[in-house]
PDB file of all heavy atoms in Angstrom:
ATOM      1  N   VAL G 247      84.145 337.413  60.901  1.00  0.00           N
ATOM      2  CA  VAL G 247      83.625 338.759  61.149  1.00  0.00           C
ATOM      3  C   VAL G 247      83.587 339.499  59.823  1.00  0.00           C
ATOM      4  O   VAL G 247      84.568 339.484  59.070  1.00  0.00           O
ATOM      5  CB  VAL G 247      84.495 339.541  62.151  1.00  0.00           C
ATOM      6  CG1 VAL G 247      83.974 340.977  62.298  1.00  0.00           C
ATOM      7  CG2 VAL G 247      84.511 338.856  63.507  1.00  0.00           C
ATOM      8  N   VAL G 248      82.449 340.114  59.530  1.00  0.00           N
ATOM      9  CA  VAL G 248      82.333 340.909  58.314  1.00  0.00           C
ATOM     10  C   VAL G 248      81.992 342.348  58.698  1.00  0.00           C
ATOM     11  O   VAL G 248      81.054 342.590  59.452  1.00  0.00           O
ATOM     12  CB  VAL G 248      81.274 340.338  57.340  1.00  0.00           C
ATOM     13  CG1 VAL G 248      81.767 339.042  56.732  1.00  0.00           C
ATOM     14  CG2 VAL G 248      79.940 340.113  58.019  1.00  0.00           C
ATOM     15  N   MET G 249      82.782 343.290  58.184  1.00  0.00           N
ATOM     16  CA  MET G 249      82.478 344.707  58.360  1.00  0.00           C
ATOM     17  C   MET G 249      81.423 345.065  57.317  1.00  0.00           C
ATOM     18  O   MET G 249      81.714 345.623  56.270  1.00  0.00           O
ATOM     19  CB  MET G 249      83.750 345.542  58.178  1.00  0.00           C
ATOM     20  CG  MET G 249      84.856 345.251  59.168  1.00  0.00           C
ATOM     21  SD  MET G 249      84.405 345.580  60.887  1.00  0.00           S
ATOM     22  CE  MET G 249      83.785 347.243  60.806  1.00  0.00           C
ATOM     23  N   MET G 250      80.168 344.711  57.636  1.00  0.00           N
ATOM     24  CA  MET G 250      79.100 344.783  56.652  1.00  0.00           C
ATOM     25  C   MET G 250      77.806 345.268  57.298  1.00  0.00           C
ATOM     26  O   MET G 250      76.727 345.089  56.765  1.00  0.00           O
ATOM     27  CB  MET G 250      78.896 343.403  56.019  1.00  0.00           C
ATOM     28  CG  MET G 250      78.206 343.377  54.663  1.00  0.00           C
ATOM     29  SD  MET G 250      78.026 341.680  54.039  1.00  0.00           S
ATOM     30  CE  MET G 250      79.716 341.207  53.688  1.00  0.00           C
ATOM     31  N   GLY G 251      77.916 345.839  58.509  1.00  0.00           N
ATOM     32  CA  GLY G 251      76.734 346.346  59.183  1.00  0.00           C
ATOM     33  C   GLY G 251      76.457 347.778  58.762  1.00  0.00           C
ATOM     34  O   GLY G 251      76.681 348.170  57.614  1.00  0.00           O
ATOM     35  N   MET G 252      75.953 348.574  59.687  1.00  0.00           N
ATOM     36  CA  MET G 252      75.657 349.972  59.389  1.00  0.00           C
ATOM     37  C   MET G 252      76.933 350.715  59.025  1.00  0.00           C
ATOM     38  O   MET G 252      77.966 350.574  59.693  1.00  0.00           O
ATOM     39  CB  MET G 252      75.012 350.632  60.603  1.00  0.00           C
ATOM     40  CG  MET G 252      73.660 350.064  61.002  1.00  0.00           C
ATOM     41  SD  MET G 252      73.058 350.699  62.584  1.00  0.00           S
ATOM     42  CE  MET G 252      72.807 352.431  62.176  1.00  0.00           C
ATOM     43  N   GLY G 253      76.881 351.527  57.948  1.00  0.00           N
ATOM     44  CA  GLY G 253      77.991 352.402  57.613  1.00  0.00           C
ATOM     45  C   GLY G 253      78.902 351.867  56.528  1.00  0.00           C
ATOM     46  O   GLY G 253      78.837 350.700  56.141  1.00  0.00           O
ATOM     47  N   GLU G 254      79.760 352.746  56.035  1.00  0.00           N
ATOM     48  CA  GLU G 254      80.787 352.425  55.043  1.00  0.00           C
ATOM     49  C   GLU G 254      82.131 352.350  55.763  1.00  0.00           C
ATOM     50  O   GLU G 254      82.672 353.375  56.205  1.00  0.00           O
ATOM     51  CB  GLU G 254      80.818 353.507  53.958  1.00  0.00           C
ATOM     52  CG  GLU G 254      82.061 353.523  53.084  1.00  0.00           C
ATOM     53  CD  GLU G 254      82.364 352.203  52.392  1.00  0.00           C
ATOM     54  OE1 GLU G 254      81.498 351.719  51.642  1.00  0.00           O
ATOM     55  OE2 GLU G 254      83.474 351.668  52.610  1.00  0.00           O
ATOM     56  N   PRO G 255      82.694 351.144  55.911  1.00  0.00           N
ATOM     57  CA  PRO G 255      83.928 350.989  56.690  1.00  0.00           C
ATOM     58  C   PRO G 255      85.087 351.867  56.224  1.00  0.00           C
ATOM     59  O   PRO G 255      85.838 352.400  57.043  1.00  0.00           O
ATOM     60  CB  PRO G 255      84.263 349.498  56.537  1.00  0.00           C
ATOM     61  CG  PRO G 255      82.954 348.858  56.249  1.00  0.00           C
ATOM     62  CD  PRO G 255      82.172 349.848  55.445  1.00  0.00           C
ATOM     63  N   LEU G 256      85.261 352.021  54.909  1.00  0.00           N
ATOM     64  CA  LEU G 256      86.401 352.793  54.410  1.00  0.00           C
ATOM     65  C   LEU G 256      86.237 354.288  54.632  1.00  0.00           C
ATOM     66  O   LEU G 256      87.197 355.049  54.488  1.00  0.00           O
ATOM     67  CB  LEU G 256      86.638 352.506  52.927  1.00  0.00           C
ATOM     68  CG  LEU G 256      87.154 351.095  52.609  1.00  0.00           C
ATOM     69  CD1 LEU G 256      87.416 350.948  51.114  1.00  0.00           C
ATOM     70  CD2 LEU G 256      88.413 350.762  53.411  1.00  0.00           C
ATOM     71  N   ALA G 257      85.042 354.728  55.028  1.00  0.00           N
ATOM     72  CA  ALA G 257      84.837 356.130  55.403  1.00  0.00           C
ATOM     73  C   ALA G 257      85.200 356.371  56.867  1.00  0.00           C
ATOM     74  O   ALA G 257      85.177 357.513  57.331  1.00  0.00           O
ATOM     75  CB  ALA G 257      83.396 356.544  55.137  1.00  0.00           C
ATOM     76  N   ASN G 258      85.531 355.319  57.581  1.00  0.00           N
ATOM     77  CA  ASN G 258      85.990 355.400  58.975  1.00  0.00           C
ATOM     78  C   ASN G 258      87.279 354.603  59.082  1.00  0.00           C
ATOM     79  O   ASN G 258      87.416 353.684  59.889  1.00  0.00           O
ATOM     80  CB  ASN G 258      84.905 354.843  59.908  1.00  0.00           C
ATOM     81  CG  ASN G 258      85.234 355.032  61.380  1.00  0.00           C
ATOM     82  OD1 ASN G 258      86.116 355.816  61.738  1.00  0.00           O
ATOM     83  ND2 ASN G 258      84.529 354.312  62.240  1.00  0.00           N
ATOM     84  N   PHE G 259      88.233 354.953  58.245  1.00  0.00           N
ATOM     85  CA  PHE G 259      89.376 354.114  57.918  1.00  0.00           C
ATOM     86  C   PHE G 259      90.204 353.730  59.151  1.00  0.00           C
ATOM     87  O   PHE G 259      90.416 352.541  59.423  1.00  0.00           O
ATOM     88  CB  PHE G 259      90.266 354.834  56.899  1.00  0.00           C
ATOM     89  CG  PHE G 259      91.339 353.968  56.302  1.00  0.00           C
ATOM     90  CD1 PHE G 259      91.124 353.270  55.124  1.00  0.00           C
ATOM     91  CD2 PHE G 259      92.580 353.840  56.924  1.00  0.00           C
ATOM     92  CE1 PHE G 259      92.101 352.462  54.578  1.00  0.00           C
ATOM     93  CE2 PHE G 259      93.572 353.042  56.383  1.00  0.00           C
ATOM     94  CZ  PHE G 259      93.335 352.345  55.206  1.00  0.00           C
ATOM     95  N   ASP G 260      90.709 354.700  59.894  1.00  0.00           N
ATOM     96  CA  ASP G 260      91.671 354.415  60.963  1.00  0.00           C
ATOM     97  C   ASP G 260      91.058 353.543  62.063  1.00  0.00           C
ATOM     98  O   ASP G 260      91.694 352.594  62.540  1.00  0.00           O
ATOM     99  CB  ASP G 260      92.218 355.717  61.553  1.00  0.00           C
ATOM    100  CG  ASP G 260      93.099 356.485  60.571  1.00  0.00           C
ATOM    101  OD1 ASP G 260      93.643 355.851  59.642  1.00  0.00           O
ATOM    102  OD2 ASP G 260      93.229 357.709  60.722  1.00  0.00           O
ATOM    103  N   ALA G 261      89.850 353.870  62.483  1.00  0.00           N
ATOM    104  CA  ALA G 261      89.214 353.095  63.550  1.00  0.00           C
ATOM    105  C   ALA G 261      88.916 351.669  63.095  1.00  0.00           C
ATOM    106  O   ALA G 261      89.082 350.717  63.859  1.00  0.00           O
ATOM    107  CB  ALA G 261      87.934 353.789  64.007  1.00  0.00           C
ATOM    108  N   VAL G 262      88.492 351.520  61.853  1.00  0.00           N
ATOM    109  CA  VAL G 262      88.188 350.182  61.316  1.00  0.00           C
ATOM    110  C   VAL G 262      89.452 349.335  61.217  1.00  0.00           C
ATOM    111  O   VAL G 262      89.463 348.164  61.611  1.00  0.00           O
ATOM    112  CB  VAL G 262      87.484 350.297  59.948  1.00  0.00           C
ATOM    113  CG1 VAL G 262      87.482 348.959  59.214  1.00  0.00           C
ATOM    114  CG2 VAL G 262      86.060 350.796  60.134  1.00  0.00           C
ATOM    115  N   VAL G 263      90.534 349.914  60.704  1.00  0.00           N
ATOM    116  CA  VAL G 263      91.788 349.168  60.576  1.00  0.00           C
ATOM    117  C   VAL G 263      92.300 348.742  61.956  1.00  0.00           C
ATOM    118  O   VAL G 263      92.746 347.599  62.146  1.00  0.00           O
ATOM    119  CB  VAL G 263      92.839 349.999  59.819  1.00  0.00           C
ATOM    120  CG1 VAL G 263      94.226 349.370  59.923  1.00  0.00           C
ATOM    121  CG2 VAL G 263      92.445 350.136  58.347  1.00  0.00           C
ATOM    122  N   ALA G 264      92.229 349.642  62.934  1.00  0.00           N
ATOM    123  CA  ALA G 264      92.684 349.304  64.286  1.00  0.00           C
ATOM    124  C   ALA G 264      91.825 348.191  64.886  1.00  0.00           C
ATOM    125  O   ALA G 264      92.349 347.271  65.535  1.00  0.00           O
ATOM    126  CB  ALA G 264      92.642 350.543  65.174  1.00  0.00           C
ATOM    127  N   ALA G 265      90.515 348.251  64.670  1.00  0.00           N
ATOM    128  CA  ALA G 265      89.630 347.207  65.199  1.00  0.00           C
ATOM    129  C   ALA G 265      89.907 345.865  64.524  1.00  0.00           C
ATOM    130  O   ALA G 265      89.922 344.822  65.182  1.00  0.00           O
ATOM    131  CB  ALA G 265      88.171 347.616  65.000  1.00  0.00           C
ATOM    132  N   MET G 266      90.143 345.883  63.211  1.00  0.00           N
ATOM    133  CA  MET G 266      90.429 344.625  62.517  1.00  0.00           C
ATOM    134  C   MET G 266      91.749 344.035  62.984  1.00  0.00           C
ATOM    135  O   MET G 266      91.896 342.804  63.053  1.00  0.00           O
ATOM    136  CB  MET G 266      90.428 344.841  61.006  1.00  0.00           C
ATOM    137  CG  MET G 266      89.060 345.151  60.429  1.00  0.00           C
ATOM    138  SD  MET G 266      88.955 345.076  58.603  1.00  0.00           S
ATOM    139  CE  MET G 266      90.237 346.244  58.125  1.00  0.00           C
ATOM    140  N   SER G 267      92.724 344.883  63.327  1.00  0.00           N
ATOM    141  CA  SER G 267      93.998 344.357  63.833  1.00  0.00           C
ATOM    142  C   SER G 267      93.787 343.616  65.148  1.00  0.00           C
ATOM    143  O   SER G 267      94.467 342.615  65.423  1.00  0.00           O
ATOM    144  CB  SER G 267      95.014 345.489  64.003  1.00  0.00           C
ATOM    145  OG  SER G 267      94.744 346.268  65.152  1.00  0.00           O
ATOM    146  N   LEU G 268      92.840 344.070  65.960  1.00  0.00           N
ATOM    147  CA  LEU G 268      92.521 343.364  67.198  1.00  0.00           C
ATOM    148  C   LEU G 268      91.807 342.052  66.915  1.00  0.00           C
ATOM    149  O   LEU G 268      92.007 341.058  67.620  1.00  0.00           O
ATOM    150  CB  LEU G 268      91.647 344.247  68.099  1.00  0.00           C
ATOM    151  CG  LEU G 268      92.375 345.386  68.808  1.00  0.00           C
ATOM    152  CD1 LEU G 268      91.385 346.390  69.393  1.00  0.00           C
ATOM    153  CD2 LEU G 268      93.289 344.843  69.904  1.00  0.00           C
ATOM    154  N   MET G 269      90.975 342.007  65.887  1.00  0.00           N
ATOM    155  CA  MET G 269      90.315 340.749  65.509  1.00  0.00           C
ATOM    156  C   MET G 269      91.341 339.697  65.126  1.00  0.00           C
ATOM    157  O   MET G 269      91.202 338.506  65.445  1.00  0.00           O
ATOM    158  CB  MET G 269      89.354 340.986  64.348  1.00  0.00           C
ATOM    159  CG  MET G 269      88.209 341.939  64.649  1.00  0.00           C
ATOM    160  SD  MET G 269      87.236 342.305  63.161  1.00  0.00           S
ATOM    161  CE  MET G 269      86.416 343.834  63.630  1.00  0.00           C
ATOM    162  N   LEU G 270      92.406 340.123  64.440  1.00  0.00           N
ATOM    163  CA  LEU G 270      93.439 339.198  63.964  1.00  0.00           C
ATOM    164  C   LEU G 270      94.465 338.861  65.035  1.00  0.00           C
ATOM    165  O   LEU G 270      95.170 337.851  64.928  1.00  0.00           O
ATOM    166  CB  LEU G 270      94.167 339.812  62.758  1.00  0.00           C
ATOM    167  CG  LEU G 270      93.327 340.232  61.553  1.00  0.00           C
ATOM    168  CD1 LEU G 270      94.202 340.907  60.509  1.00  0.00           C
ATOM    169  CD2 LEU G 270      92.609 339.044  60.939  1.00  0.00           C
ATOM    170  N   GLU G 271      94.578 339.698  66.059  1.00  0.00           N
ATOM    171  CA  GLU G 271      95.642 339.594  67.058  1.00  0.00           C
ATOM    172  C   GLU G 271      95.572 338.275  67.843  1.00  0.00           C
ATOM    173  O   GLU G 271      94.533 337.891  68.371  1.00  0.00           O
ATOM    174  CB  GLU G 271      95.521 340.788  68.023  1.00  0.00           C
ATOM    175  CG  GLU G 271      96.411 340.741  69.242  1.00  0.00           C
ATOM    176  CD  GLU G 271      97.883 340.629  68.881  1.00  0.00           C
ATOM    177  OE1 GLU G 271      98.367 341.452  68.084  1.00  0.00           O
ATOM    178  OE2 GLU G 271      98.536 339.702  69.406  1.00  0.00           O
ATOM    179  N   ASP G 272      96.712 337.576  67.929  1.00  0.00           N
ATOM    180  CA  ASP G 272      96.774 336.299  68.631  1.00  0.00           C
ATOM    181  C   ASP G 272      96.418 336.433  70.107  1.00  0.00           C
ATOM    182  O   ASP G 272      95.883 335.494  70.715  1.00  0.00           O
ATOM    183  CB  ASP G 272      98.167 335.686  68.505  1.00  0.00           C
ATOM    184  CG  ASP G 272      98.444 335.140  67.112  1.00  0.00           C
ATOM    185  OD1 ASP G 272      97.487 335.078  66.310  1.00  0.00           O
ATOM    186  OD2 ASP G 272      99.602 334.800  66.818  1.00  0.00           O
ATOM    187  N   LEU G 273      96.722 337.579  70.727  1.00  0.00           N
ATOM    188  CA  LEU G 273      96.421 337.789  72.136  1.00  0.00           C
ATOM    189  C   LEU G 273      94.986 338.234  72.368  1.00  0.00           C
ATOM    190  O   LEU G 273      94.568 338.407  73.521  1.00  0.00           O
ATOM    191  CB  LEU G 273      97.379 338.832  72.727  1.00  0.00           C
ATOM    192  CG  LEU G 273      98.858 338.471  72.720  1.00  0.00           C
ATOM    193  CD1 LEU G 273      99.704 339.628  73.225  1.00  0.00           C
ATOM    194  CD2 LEU G 273      99.115 337.224  73.572  1.00  0.00           C
ATOM    195  N   ALA G 274      94.232 338.419  71.289  1.00  0.00           N
ATOM    196  CA  ALA G 274      92.845 338.873  71.416  1.00  0.00           C
ATOM    197  C   ALA G 274      91.910 337.803  70.848  1.00  0.00           C
ATOM    198  O   ALA G 274      91.648 336.791  71.492  1.00  0.00           O
ATOM    199  CB  ALA G 274      92.666 340.222  70.728  1.00  0.00           C
ATOM    200  N   TYR G 275      91.460 337.976  69.597  1.00  0.00           N
ATOM    201  CA  TYR G 275      90.444 337.073  69.055  1.00  0.00           C
ATOM    202  C   TYR G 275      91.020 336.013  68.119  1.00  0.00           C
ATOM    203  O   TYR G 275      90.367 335.001  67.855  1.00  0.00           O
ATOM    204  CB  TYR G 275      89.351 337.885  68.349  1.00  0.00           C
ATOM    205  CG  TYR G 275      88.709 338.860  69.306  1.00  0.00           C
ATOM    206  CD1 TYR G 275      89.178 340.174  69.409  1.00  0.00           C
ATOM    207  CD2 TYR G 275      87.701 338.459  70.164  1.00  0.00           C
ATOM    208  CE1 TYR G 275      88.628 341.053  70.323  1.00  0.00           C
ATOM    209  CE2 TYR G 275      87.142 339.330  71.080  1.00  0.00           C
ATOM    210  CZ  TYR G 275      87.620 340.633  71.157  1.00  0.00           C
ATOM    211  OH  TYR G 275      87.093 341.495  72.074  1.00  0.00           O
ATOM    212  N   MET G 276      92.194 336.259  67.579  1.00  0.00           N
ATOM    213  CA  MET G 276      92.930 335.258  66.804  1.00  0.00           C
ATOM    214  C   MET G 276      92.093 334.701  65.647  1.00  0.00           C
ATOM    215  O   MET G 276      92.072 333.504  65.388  1.00  0.00           O
ATOM    216  CB  MET G 276      93.424 334.129  67.712  1.00  0.00           C
ATOM    217  CG  MET G 276      94.610 333.354  67.152  1.00  0.00           C
ATOM    218  SD  MET G 276      95.414 332.302  68.401  1.00  0.00           S
ATOM    219  CE  MET G 276      94.090 331.155  68.798  1.00  0.00           C
ATOM    220  N   ILE G 277      91.379 335.585  64.944  1.00  0.00           N
ATOM    221  CA  ILE G 277      90.593 335.174  63.788  1.00  0.00           C
ATOM    222  C   ILE G 277      91.489 335.216  62.551  1.00  0.00           C
ATOM    223  O   ILE G 277      92.276 336.151  62.380  1.00  0.00           O
ATOM    224  CB  ILE G 277      89.371 336.090  63.605  1.00  0.00           C
ATOM    225  CG1 ILE G 277      88.520 336.097  64.883  1.00  0.00           C
ATOM    226  CG2 ILE G 277      88.524 335.646  62.423  1.00  0.00           C
ATOM    227  CD1 ILE G 277      87.398 337.115  64.874  1.00  0.00           C
ATOM    228  N   SER G 278      91.386 334.236  61.695  1.00  0.00           N
ATOM    229  CA  SER G 278      92.210 334.174  60.496  1.00  0.00           C
ATOM    230  C   SER G 278      91.938 335.374  59.593  1.00  0.00           C
ATOM    231  O   SER G 278      90.800 335.842  59.480  1.00  0.00           O
ATOM    232  CB  SER G 278      91.928 332.876  59.735  1.00  0.00           C
ATOM    233  OG  SER G 278      92.442 332.933  58.426  1.00  0.00           O
ATOM    234  N   LYS G 279      92.985 335.851  58.918  1.00  0.00           N
ATOM    235  CA  LYS G 279      92.823 336.995  58.016  1.00  0.00           C
ATOM    236  C   LYS G 279      91.865 336.694  56.873  1.00  0.00           C
ATOM    237  O   LYS G 279      91.252 337.609  56.314  1.00  0.00           O
ATOM    238  CB  LYS G 279      94.180 337.429  57.462  1.00  0.00           C
ATOM    239  CG  LYS G 279      94.850 336.405  56.553  1.00  0.00           C
ATOM    240  CD  LYS G 279      96.196 336.896  56.075  1.00  0.00           C
ATOM    241  CE  LYS G 279      96.837 335.902  55.099  1.00  0.00           C
ATOM    242  NZ  LYS G 279      98.168 336.359  54.636  1.00  0.00           N
TER     243      LYS G 279
END
């Protein structure tokens, strides 16, 4: 997964970080860091 679509991810810091934590979460998507 790349945060590379519409927008600047670091300008939406908290929501992006929370979403990425779900991408990495073993109980969710379990994608490697």
